[in-house]
Amino acid sequence: MRRGTGGRIDRTRTLRFRFDGRDYTGHPGDTLASALLANGVRQVATSVKLGRPRGVFAAGSEEPSALVQIEEPFPEPMLTATTVELYDGLVARGLPGQGRLATEPDPARYDATHAHCDVLVVGAGPAGLAAAREAVRTGARVILADEQPEPGGSLLGTGEEVEGLPGAEWAAAVAAELAGLPEVTMLPRTTVFGYYDDNHLVAVERRTNHLGGAAHPHVARERIWRIRAKRVVLATGAHERPVAFAGNDLPGVMLAGAARTYVNRYGVLPGRRAVVFTSGDSAYAAALDLAGAGVEVAAIVDVRPAPGACADLARAAGIEVLTGHVVTAAAGDGQVSSVLAGPRQEDGAVTEGERSFDADLLLVSGGWNPVVHLFSQSGGTLRYDEALGTLVPGASRQAVAVAGAARGVFTPAGCLEDGAAVGGDAPAGAEVAPQGVPHWLVPAADYGTHFVDLQRDVTVADVVRATGAGLRSVEHVKRYTTAGTAHDQGKTSGLLTTAVMAQVLGVPVGELGSTTFRAPYTPVSFAALAGRDRGPLHDPVRVTALHEWHAAHGALFENVGQWKRPWYYPRPGEDMAAAVLRECGAAREGVAAMDASTLGKIDVIGPDAAEFLDRLYTNMMSTLAVGAIRYGVMCRADGMVFDDGTVIRVAEDHFLVTTTTGNAAAVLDWMEEWLQTEWPWLRVHLTSVTEQWATVALVGPGSREVLSGLAPGLAVGAADFPFMTWREAEVAGIPARVCRISFSGELAYEINVTSWEGLALWEAIMDTGVVTPYGTETMHVLRAEKGYPIVGQDTDGTVTPQDLGMSWVVSKKKADFIGKRSFARADTTRVDRKQLVGLLPEDPGVLLPEGTHLVELSSLPEPPVPMLGHVTSSYRSAALGRTFALALVSGGRERVGERLYAPVGDDLVPVTVTSHILYDPEGARRDG
């Protein structure tokens, strides 16, 4: 029920919402959980496995039970009612542990941003605010992120004073001071959910979730922040933990600190008559606050025989305190209606003398767990503190400090002291003092309703069963029972499960260690992670500097990686086959040009560049002269072909490497991986320059004459400009790097200019009136006629250079290179390995589908049918006057001249195996 006064809600405004088909009202400042409690709704959901009723258990992101699905304005499942801010028109329903994805597209926008700072403070409670305030006084650029809509942390739910002000007012004042400083970025409603290497943290900001249907359609609903911080301060607070006893999952069982928050922050009475079960001092403050708000506190059940001054205060307020007692059970039909408590022996067992209390609310506090999730993700070690009865931070390899309750300091004064120290880059020094004793489990004969994980329906009985099966690792028990694997990732159940396991095994809790804390700290939607990278932006379209010309002149495009490349240029009345035959004829008999700008280009610069390339390529690159070009192949460590391309030596310490279009990013990543992780001492820098160059391939017997006319200052004769060399020259008045390279077998040049001048170069070439543009399909035909493989089409990750008939590209002089040792393995020297060969269908008009299998027999036997290989490339050739194909065939080179069969539909097409070089095997056409 709602209190008449109090709380941080706006009572002047009323919000209407619907839950499980019924209409209710609340106020701005409410969460869905607080509004439901204010309306007397006790059961919010049912458990995933047992179907037991579940209510509100906590007040924040640690909530294990109150799972809901938002239905309007847009369906979103698996949200905790404690973190859903109430808004007008909200429609939701309780969940049985699992939700339903939306069937319609999400209309909201999501985006991402990058930020850098000197100090990132995570948590805007007393420790976090003190840390941010002190950090900014040192001149640091500060980002302060907190998951709550307003600063204050635990102060929002208590009546504690800080520096002479009510805690919430103090927090608001400090936050206002910080927000007015240009060096500070305030991020409310922002959860830092991942901590990665080099102080890289990722957070999600919920920008319009709390507005519901009133959210502006053009404002991103959520934003991912990728933050790089020089230092990190974790002031993430602590979570109260439950105790395992019979019926501890019933609606009406609630963490004591959560009940205090509902009373003080939301003006809600979570029950009318309460029993408090505790092992520490903090629950007494909750009991007194509830009593002061009008809740009848029937008794405080304290496991400690002599609690001290806190018990005296409670007794003075007229509350019965049962020391040395435990709660043995919560009972009721669907919710708490009575609580059983009795004296506790030293071994934890309950002696005779149980009492029953009528109550609709049972507050529980078994201790506090510092929120060490992000610290652990940072690579930090954790240790179990026997006095505190919890895991606390140890050391981390990163520049991170922990302050306040996150390291076991539970007083406001101590949190302020801690925060100010670490904010100024000094060690945290506030006293860490136990506020109670850890208490985990109330012994019983039957542990079937002693729950350790409310979301996964895991009980003490399940833990006993796991240890009885021989499991001794907390990680194994976690997976056996599924404890700690739900949406809350064990925030309230993780350490409790470990402690119960320790008690069952009779070993110290610290001996068992802890399970691994992994990102994300709280669930993050795929929509937020994707951001704007969806639809056309998921895989951005890349176009060359010449794209508009291609489109204007009728080119059809194909996708090659992210690039739109001209596929072919059909003239009126031409289909693809006719257009490609025409383009091939022009390249073989006249002169043609192709936009080759998409080839990957990587500058490799540094004193050790030559050595670096020698290690990457199978052949020697260090012997390459300045002004020369060499074809090279890269292999993976297993000896299989990874990529190929040319290497241009620009200077003694400067090489330009070209890669296949689709593999450019992968090759750069591969090079960086080896350079950074295996050979960091090599003095080399790598830079992708693919976008900086526009490249035109000028191909055919007439190419020399065309180039001569465009570049009168360039000596283009065969002797003056030999194959696999490059020259600097002006082409059509544009500074260019001209390379004598051919991927067609014809006389050819690759002309490279800056991307800004690519279109001018192309138009100058086309203005000669004798050059035919050609696309990628023609390029494939031309290279296949010459037996040049395409990595990824004629290779499949199981092909070595030797399999491609390219033993000549594997150096026998170099001591080592990536893949060298694999060439000596028995598997890579097998005679029956699949090798690249050519295929000629006996019917020259039959075009074999790429991927077609090849068999040895003229009639297919019963399955399984032995396969010799498959077709990798298949085309119609103007130069050959027929169809042809390339294929990977077992022992292929020894089968030249043999007849094989290709199953195509219901037919077996006979083919003859031939050399993979089908056109100009002598290479006579290369020099014109």
Side-chain angles (χ1 to χ4, degrees), residues 593-672:
M594 183 184 75
D595 183 356
S597 305
T598 63
L599 288 175
K601 305 172 194 70
I602 303 169
D603 265 337
V604 182
I605 300 175
D608 298 323
E611 180 183 350
F612 176 63
L613 294 178
D614 274 350
R615 297 181 181 208
L616 287 175
Y617 284 92
T618 61
N619 49 337
M620 294 282 284
M621 295 299 169
S622 57
T623 57
L624 189 63
V626 174
I629 306 169
R630 186 166 293 162
Y631 172 80
V633 170
M634 290 185 189
C635 291
R636 299 195 311 261
D638 60 2
M640 305 304 155
V641 173
F642 170 55
D643 200 70
D644 71 338
T646 59
V647 176
I648 300 170
R649 192 158 197 170
V650 181
E652 286 296 323
D653 62 349
H654 183 183
F655 295 80
L656 177 66
V657 168
T658 67
T659 74
T660 55
T661 294
N663 236 11
V667 170
L668 180 60
D669 180 71
W670 176 255
M671 297 170 82
E672 287 284 10

Side-chain angles (χ1 to χ4, degrees), residues 175-244:
E177 174 191 342
L178 292 172
L181 300 174
E183 301 90 351
V184 179
T185 300
M186 303 286 286
L187 295 178
R189 296 188 175 94
T190 301
T191 300
V192 179
F193 63 82
Y195 197 142
Y196 305 95
D197 287 343
D198 301 314
N199 268 11
H200 180 216
L201 295 91
V202 184
V204 57
E205 179 189 8
R206 295 170 294 279
R207 305 183 71 207
T208 66
N209 304 55
H210 61 291
L211 300 176
H216 195 289
H218 299 304
V219 176
R221 183 184 187 200
E222 295 180 355
R223 172 175 289 166
I224 293 292
W225 285 77
R226 296 182 174 91
I227 304 169
R228 188 78 68 176
K230 186 177 181 180
R231 288 196 298 122
V232 174
V233 173
L234 297 179
T236 45
H239 292 147
E240 200 166 16
R241 62 170 178 258
V243 178

Side-chain angles (χ1 to χ4, degrees), residues 3 10 31 59 87 101 211 274 312 326 351 436 476 480 494 506 508 519 605 617 631 756 763 779 783 851 887:
R3 294 177 62 186
D10 180 1
T31 63
Y87 52 81
L101 294 175
L211 300 176
D312 296 335
V326 293
T351 60
H476 292 164
Y480 184 94
I605 300 175
Y617 284 92
Y631 172 80
W756 297 107
E763 289 178 335
M779 178 268 290
R783 65 88 196 170

Side-chain angles (χ1 to χ4, degrees), residues 140-355:
R141 294 171 301 145
V142 176
I143 294 177
L144 177 59
D146 188 85
E147 64 183 359
Q148 296 288 335
E150 59 178 324
S154 63
L155 298 175
L156 300 175
T158 70
E160 296 168 315
E161 288 193 353
V162 178
E163 296 180 350
L165 291 174
E169 290 184 21
W170 174 86
V174 175
E177 174 191 342
L178 292 172
L181 300 174
E183 301 90 351
V184 179
T185 300
M186 303 286 286
L187 295 178
R189 296 188 175 94
T190 301
T191 300
V192 179
F193 63 82
Y195 197 142
Y196 305 95
D197 287 343
D198 301 314
N199 268 11
H200 180 216
L201 295 91
V202 184
V204 57
E205 179 189 8
R206 295 170 294 279
R207 305 183 71 207
T208 66
N209 304 55
H210 61 291
L211 300 176
H216 195 289
H218 299 304
V219 176
R221 183 184 187 200
E222 295 180 355
R223 172 175 289 166
I224 293 292
W225 285 77
R226 296 182 174 91
I227 304 169
R228 188 78 68 176
K230 186 177 181 180
R231 288 196 298 122
V232 174
V233 173
L234 297 179
T236 45
H239 292 147
E240 200 166 16
R241 62 170 178 258
V243 178
F245 56 86
N248 65 337
D249 66 323
L250 281 175
V253 177
M254 182 182 291
L255 294 173
R260 190 182 187 192
T261 296
Y262 286 116
V263 166
N264 292 317
R265 181 173 180 179
Y266 301 108
V268 170
L269 301 182
R272 296 179 183 276
R273 194 165 194 266
V275 172
V276 179
F277 179 25
T278 184
S279 64
D281 295 348
S282 64
Y284 283 84
L288 291 171
D289 281 1
L290 264 68
V295 176
E296 181 185 355
V297 180
I300 297 177
V301 181
D302 196 326
V303 301
R304 300 172 295 176
C310 57
D312 296 335
L313 290 174
R315 291 189 182 102
I319 301 173
E320 182 180 4
V321 178
L322 300 176
T323 60
H325 280 59
V326 293
V327 167
T328 58
D333 184 11
Q335 62 181 17
V336 173
S337 60
S338 64
V339 176
L340 291 175
R344 173 180 180 265
Q345 298 281 41
E346 285 300 319
D347 61 359
V350 178
T351 60
E352 294 186 7
E354 271 191 332
R355 294 173 57 185

